Amino acid sequence: MKVQEKIKKCVAFVALQMADETIRLVGTVFFIYRDKQKDNYSYAVTAKHVIEGIKSKGLDKVFLRMNLTDGQSGLFATRISDWIYHNDENIDIAIHPIVLKPNFDHLLYPESSFVTSEFINENEIDVGDEVIITSLFR
């Protein structure tokens, strides 16, 4: 099964900037929007340990390396202090509010397409069923 192109456009790389200004890719991020909410908030989502790894190096910025509509790639800078973690420290997730600029060739995955417990029960999804995990590979 091939993953739909629109799903791949919901993913980018997480990067940090070294002291010599080189960029190092350290993880992946995906983009969602809360279309079930009144205000349609959008977020970048990654693993908490990715953000904590950048923070442990004494850095205060997290970069998202994203494709641009002209075929090039660009960086979107975020402040590390703006990343939000779940209240339960055992949950490995970090989110950052985001507004994608028109020149970024990326999409936001809608909350209305998330798999719910009801969907799992109605469709009898269980161990052994196919799933997709959004990520990027070098």
Side-chain angles (χ1 to χ4, degrees):
M1 174 176 85
K2 186 146 178 119
V3 176
Q4 297 174 3
E5 197 61 35
K6 67 181 182 179
I7 299 292
K8 293 192 286 183
K9 285 186 176 239
C10 296
V11 186
F13 285 108
V14 177
L16 58 82
Q17 188 171 36
M18 307 290 282
D20 65 1
E21 298 190 8
T22 58
I23 298 296
R24 183 170 163 228
L25 305 177
V26 294
T28 57
V29 62
F30 61 94
F31 306 109
I32 63 168
Y33 74 99
R34 309 277 318 263
D35 62 333
K36 290 184 171 184
Q37 307 295 315
K38 178 182 171 187
D39 294 322
N40 292 338
Y41 293 111
S42 55
Y43 299 95
V45 182
T46 192
K48 176 182 169 182
H49 72 265
V50 171
I51 304 302
E52 285 295 302
I54 295 170
K55 187 176 180 180
S56 73
K57 295 181 182 337
L59 302 172
D60 63 350
K61 288 190 179 158
V62 174
F63 293 92
L64 306 181
R65 186 197 157 280
M66 301 167 69
N67 294 331
L68 302 175
T69 54
D70 66 3
Q72 301 294 312
S73 64
L75 294 173
F76 182 87
T78 68
R79 291 192 328 236
I80 206 158
S81 60
D82 291 338
W83 285 85
I84 302 163
Y85 302 146
H86 194 280
N87 292 336
D88 182 340
E89 66 181 45
N90 295 312
I91 297 177
D92 191 21
I93 192 168
I95 65 169
H96 188 287
I98 193 167
V99 175
L100 294 180
K101 297 177 182 177
N103 66 323
F104 287 126
D105 189 20
H106 286 275
L107 300 173
L108 299 163
Y109 194 79
E111 178 185 19
S112 60
S113 294
F114 290 7
V115 173
T116 63
S117 297
E118 293 80 20
F119 180 88
I120 291 170
N121 290 333
E122 287 171 14
N123 293 282
E124 299 179 3
I125 297 174
D126 202 353
V127 174
D129 287 322
E130 285 185 302
V131 298
I132 20 176
I133 298 172
T134 56
S135 188
L136 296 172
F137 303 97
R138 290 198 234 188

